[in-house]
Structure formats: structure tokens, C-alpha cells
Amino acid sequence: MKNSAVSPDQKMIPVRIAGTGSYLPERIMTNQELEDLVDTSDDWITSRTGIRERRIAAEGEHTSHLAAKAAEKALEQAGLDGADVHLIIVATITPDTLTPATACYVQQHLGSQRAVAFDVSAACSGFLYALELARTSVGSGAFRNALIIGAEKLSAFVDWNDRNTCVLFGDGAGAAVLLPSENGDGKILSCALGTDGAQAELLNIPGGGSACPLKVDAPNEKLAYLAMQGREVFKHAVNAMKTASIDAIEAAGLTASDIKLLIPHQANLRIIDAIVERLEIDREDVFINLDKYGNTSAAAVAIALDEANRQGRMEKGDKVLLVAFGAGLTWASAIIEW
Ligand code: UT7
């Protein structure tokens, strides 16, 4: 797999994470409930994925609503108001509408009139793609601050009759505020991003775009749902996340033993275990919450980062590794000095 590692430009202002937030819809759907929908079992889901339950957004609760609620908490922690925000990037594959971008609705919800707002579509790697875009935008001085959000309402794009996919995904949102780092008070040390469009068909939503518009009167409803070749994706996920992790660690001038906390994409416990083993990171130094939320795509790393932050899992100066993998195929990693 190709990989493009990006190390910090010496001319750039260092950038830190000044606040995090997350929001999960109230409704909990357990594995037992799924047993009534498809031919599956709590035992299969738990042993093959580690997932025990997931959250499902209410009717009328859109991706932008989840995103705005997570963003409000991140802004509060950073000591900013919506009106102070200069840049909003929402990472999502389940936008409220094809156009305009979900970030535009979020701007409206937050009253961030002066902010430039747009979406990034990089599936489960989206939050880390947004992190790198925001880091370089604030680090270059082009924007004074940035609000990045990973938000998904995957329940709207899952085929609830397909046991291969419907047991895996959930809804939720996570956010972070990026500010210039003054006096070396924590900073993003490196990012590594990669894409392999040749593998696009392994994981996609085939319908709904210009290649295959969905017609109200045509029976092509299945094309509106997430389709995945799970076993193939699994292999790519392990390899790409391992390589991306090593690239970011090396770009930061570190070794794996310097990592105090690993926050991986939350798709499958077996994928996380395989990466941890290959990187030789202690299992206790890994943040895992997929048992509660399932795979929330672009929101997963963002929610985990916020929960780790609010649980006090990161102390000042700790080196934290974030890594993700998703449709595209895409992969991404970052090292943050907390
Ligand atoms: O977030 C973006 C990236 N996504 C991922 O990283 C996901 C990567 N893939 C995976 O996590 C795993 O491949 C899955 C969890 C999706 C599937 O696990 P697996 O161990 O790879 O199972 P499999 O697809 O090889 O299927 C094994 C068996 C099959 O039955 P047969 O053909 O052996 O009789 C499936 O039909 O398990 C069956 N199966 C199920 N059985 C009960 C598939 N889904 C289910 C289910 N309940 N929900």
C-alpha cells in the first residue's frame, strides 16, 4: 500500500487540541434486539467483533444535530463561543443532504457566522483527514482556530435485513477544537494519510450519487445501503493501520515504546488486537469503547478521543497515537503530544 506521511513543517505554528466533545443518541440497541431482526446471535457478534450495543439516532435527529451537540461541548472546554469559530470541517459519509454540506447546517446550529464550513468524505479516516487539514490551516496562519467534527447517522444507510452489516454500525459524533499552541502547551506532532482508490468497491454505498441516482419509483432501494466485503476489508485494515501508525511515529521522531495511549478506529476488537500485537503496544495503553457504540465511522476516533480526555487517560506531555482506516480505501494516523 502506498502511504504519504506528513511531518510537521518547521515554518508552521504548532497547533494543539484545546477542547474535545462527543454526543451519543439516547437510544441503545443491544445485540439481543438484533437477534429479532436478522439470523444472528449475541455470541456471534460479541466474539467476532467485540460489539455489545450501539446507539441509534431518533427520527428527526440528523447528523448535523449530533455534530452540533458534540461541537458545543468541545467549544465549552476550549473556552470559545460558536461565534468565535473561523473554520468548521465535518467528516461524514452520512450527510444530512448531498448538498449543501452538513458543516453548513452545523454552522447555523452553532451561530458561527464568520466560519468557513465544509465537509470531508473519507469514511472512517475522515476525522483524522480533518485534523490534518485543520492543523495545516491553523498552523499556516490562514485560520485563527478550527472546529473539526466526525459525525455519522449510519442507521439511515444500513440494511436492517443484512446481518453482514447491520450488527456492526452505530450513530454518534465527536469533535475537537484546534488552536495555535503557545508556550509549547501540547501540540500535534505528525500526521500520516493515505488512499487507495483501486479498492473502492470493497466498502461503499453504491446508490444515491450521480453514478446511480436513487429514483423514488424505482426498486433499487438496496443500492442506498452500505455494502462491505468484510474479510477483505479486515486484512487491509490491519496492514494499513499498522503502516500508518509506524509512519506517524517515525515522522514524530519517536518509537512505539514512547506511545502512552493508542486510540484506534473502533470497528472490530480483533483488528485492534492485531495492530496492538504488531506494534508491540501494551493492551492497557489502548482505548476501546466499541463494545458500547459499535463502528461509528468518522465519529469513532473523535468520540474515543473525547472519552479518553474526560476520563483523564492523557496527562500533559503524553504522546498519543490516533489511527483509522475506512472506505476509499483510506487510512490516517496522528501523534499528539497532550
Ligand atoms: O470501519 C471501516 C472498516 N470496516 C472494518 O474494518 C470491518 C472489517 N471486517 C470485519 O470486522 C469482519 O470481517 C466482520 C465482523 C465484518 C465479519 O467477521 P468475519 O470473521 O470476517 O466473518 P465472515 O465475513 O468471514 O463470515 C463468517 C461466517 C459466514 O458464514 P459461513 O459462510 O461461514 O457459513 C457469515 O455468513 O459468519 C456469517 N455471518 C454471521 N453470522 C451470524 C456474517 N455475519 C453474521 C452475523 N451473525 N451477524
Side-chain angles (χ1 to χ4, degrees), residues 39-41 44-45 48-49 124 163-164 167-169 203 228 230-231 233-234 237 265 267-268 270-271 295 325-326:
D39 180 15
T40 191
S41 67
W44 190 96
I45 302 169
R48 296 291 182 120
T49 71
C124 308
R163 70 175 184 175
N164 291 299
V167 303
L168 304 173
F169 298 99
L203 177 48
M228 177 168 70
R231 222 176 289 180
V233 172
F234 189 110
H265 177 47
N268 189 320
R270 291 186 293 136
I271 294 177
N295 182 349
F325 173 87

Side-chain angles (χ1 to χ4, degrees), residues 100-319:
T102 298
C104 300
Y105 303 117
V106 173
Q107 183 214 38
Q108 175 73 7
H109 293 312
L110 298 176
S112 306
Q113 293 87 345
R114 73 167 70 170
V116 171
F118 62 93
D119 287 1
V120 163
S121 179
C124 308
S125 309
F127 182 71
L128 294 181
Y129 271 50
L131 180 81
E132 175 63 341
L133 283 176
R135 180 183 76 84
T136 50
S137 299
V138 174
S140 68
F143 291 89
R144 227 179 269 177
N145 57 48
L147 169 65
I148 59 169
I149 308 166
E152 302 286 9
K153 185 177 173 178
L154 285 153
S155 60
F157 294 89
V158 158
D159 181 352
W160 291 102
N161 296 310
D162 176 14
R163 70 175 184 175
N164 291 299
T165 51
C166 77
V167 303
L168 304 173
F169 298 99
D171 302 336
V177 173
L178 272 62
L179 290 177
S181 171
E182 283 143 20
N183 321 315
D185 50 354
K187 53 185 166 301
I188 299 162
L189 295 178
S190 64
C191 291
L193 312 180
T195 307
D196 184 4
Q199 310 293 338
E201 303 224 324
L202 291 182
L203 177 48
N204 65 2
I205 299 175
S210 60
C212 179
L214 295 177
K215 306 259 167 45
V216 177
D217 55 350
N220 58 355
E221 175 195 300
K222 291 260 175 208
L223 297 173
Y225 298 134
L226 245 163
M228 177 168 70
Q229 296 177 37
R231 222 176 289 180
E232 275 306 301
V233 172
F234 189 110
K235 285 185 233 155
H236 285 289
V238 172
N239 290 333
M241 283 203 276
K242 179 197 150 199
T243 307
S245 297
I246 292 170
D247 285 347
I249 289 169
E250 287 179 354
L254 304 173
T255 63
S257 62
D258 296 313
I259 302 303
K260 281 280 164 25
L261 187 65
L262 167 63
I263 302 180
H265 177 47
Q266 310 281 319
N268 189 320
L269 199 52
R270 291 186 293 136
I271 294 177
I272 294 175
D273 283 337
I275 299 162
V276 167
E277 193 188 311
R278 283 162 176 74
L279 293 176
E280 296 181 20
I281 288 177
D282 282 347
R283 191 63 157 61
E284 306 84 72
D285 298 335
V286 184
F287 192 87
I288 293 165
N289 63 5
L290 63 77
D291 51 321
K292 295 186 292 180
Y293 309 135
N295 182 349
T296 57
S297 191
V301 168
I303 295 167
L305 175 67
D306 179 53
E307 291 196 340
N309 181 20
R310 286 173 194 265
Q311 290 170 21
R313 290 284 301 269
M314 300 170 296
E315 289 177 11
K316 190 170 161 48
D318 279 356
K319 310 291 188 298

Side-chain angles (χ1 to χ4, degrees), residues 15-20 73-80 146 176-180 185 309 338:
V15 174
R16 71 186 170 106
I17 292 184
T20 62
K73 294 183 193 166
L75 287 169
E76 188 186 1
Q77 195 173 74
L80 294 183
V177 173
L178 272 62
L179 290 177
D185 50 354
N309 181 20
W338 200 251

